[in-house]
Amino acid sequence: ETGVTQSPTHLIKTRGQQVTLRCSSQSGHNTVSWYQQALGQGPQFIFQYYREEENGRGNFPPRFSGLQFPNYSSELNVNALELDDSALYLCASSSLSGLASYNEQFFGPGTRLTVL
Amino acid sequence: DQQVKQNSPSLSVQEGRISILNCDYTNSMFDYFLWYKKYPAEGPTFLISISSIKDKNEDGRFTVFLNKSAKHLSLHIVPSQPGDSAVYFCAATGNNNDMRFGAGTRLTVKP
């Protein structure tokens, strides 16, 4: 059973560009959540996808968007990058069956995005 | 808006002693609380959780206490081991799938 993987590990972009980050969920999981972790802070919830539909969203602007695919892998897209978007982006997969079960949320190692 | 706060950025304890990590929250709608542990270059890993209907949950060396009236929870690690050295995040959630994390406390357990 493979764990949660994310790609790429590191990424450097310039302001105004667009970026796509990828996440492969743990086998058997149908839910993926994305978080942004700025330096010295805890992860901040961006959104969650359950069975290919958005299932909750944090306080992030629309230029942060996502997709979940039939195999439950996921993408996070960020348009019009700003300097403050520089952070570690974490995805976490879990298996929801009615009631959220955050105990079973498994995190990937993250993608470090630097915006210059 | 920082709804979950960990006011101690770091904590250092001697091996074998108790480690107590604290967390405060402001949102009374939170009904489920979790602690995560994070090593460098790895994602956070779930450690222990507690529902708002309880005031204590124990799992081996780890115990979480919840004081709802004070909106405070704490994680006790007894006895502390050098392998426990990591960053510990407190998190809270309600019924909207939005999980809020604290800024983390770096625990160092000295041999």
Side-chain angles (χ1 to χ4, degrees):
Chain A
E1 182 180 275
T2 57
V4 179
T5 60
Q6 292 186 243
S7 62
T9 307
H10 296 88
L11 198 53
I12 299 175
K13 290 284 189 178
T14 56
R15 196 169 46 182
Q17 285 188 310
Q18 178 267 343
V19 69
T20 298
L21 310 181
R22 294 178 174 83
C23 173
S24 290
S25 300
Q26 184 154 317
S27 176
H29 286 180
N30 57 15
T31 302
V32 66
S33 302
W34 284 92
Y35 296 85
Q36 179 195 67
Q37 186 180 6
L39 201 60
Q41 296 182 23
Q44 284 195 68
F45 176 72
I46 303 175
F47 43 56
Q48 182 184 84
Y49 278 81
Y50 170 61
R51 292 187 174 176
E52 303 178 56
E53 292 195 2
E54 191 175 287
N55 188 42
R57 190 179 181 94
N59 190 26
F60 279 80
R63 59 189 185 84
F64 285 78
S65 63
L67 281 174
Q68 187 182 30
F69 300 100
N71 66 354
Y72 302 129
S73 65
S74 176
E75 287 181 356
L76 164 65
N77 299 290
V78 187
N79 294 322
L81 283 167
E82 301 177 359
L83 298 180
D84 284 350
D85 295 334
S86 295
L88 180 69
Y89 288 85
L90 296 161
C91 81
S93 76
S94 56
S95 184
L96 281 184
S97 53
L99 197 62
S101 177
Y102 288 99
N103 289 20
E104 305 301 325
Q105 185 166 228
F106 294 89
F107 281 84
T111 293
R112 172 78 55 192
L113 172 66
T114 302
V115 182
L116 302 175
Chain B
D1 61 343
Q2 227 183 338
Q3 298 186 25
V4 178
K5 293 183 182 179
Q6 293 176 256
N7 292 320
S8 298
S10 62
L11 175 68
S12 182
V13 300
Q14 207 65 36
E15 181 179 5
R17 307 295 289 268
I18 184 171
S19 295
I20 300 177
L21 296 96
N22 293 303
C23 178
D24 297 293
Y25 63 95
T26 57
N27 190 339
S28 57
M29 298 301 292
F30 289 145
D31 60 6
Y32 200 73
F33 305 89
L34 308 93
W35 285 94
Y36 284 84
K37 176 177 169 179
K38 186 179 187 302
Y39 293 117
E42 294 183 12
T45 55
F46 168 74
L47 192 58
I48 192 169
S49 63
I50 189 167
S51 163
S52 60
I53 63 173
K54 295 184 175 180
D55 54 18
K56 177 183 174 181
N57 189 26
E58 192 171 351
D59 183 3
R61 297 186 297 115
F62 303 92
T63 303
V64 56
F65 295 92
L66 175 62
N67 182 334
K68 288 185 290 294
S69 60
K71 293 191 176 66
H72 177 84
L73 65 156
S74 61
L75 173 68
H76 292 209
I77 306 174
V78 181
S80 301
Q81 299 172 355
D84 296 330
S85 297
V87 177
Y88 288 78
F89 292 102
C90 165
T93 186
N95 59 2
N96 62 352
N97 299 322
D98 180 353
M99 188 152 69
R100 301 292 178 114
F101 283 81
T105 296
R106 181 176 300 279
L107 173 66
T108 303
V109 180
K110 298 179 179 178

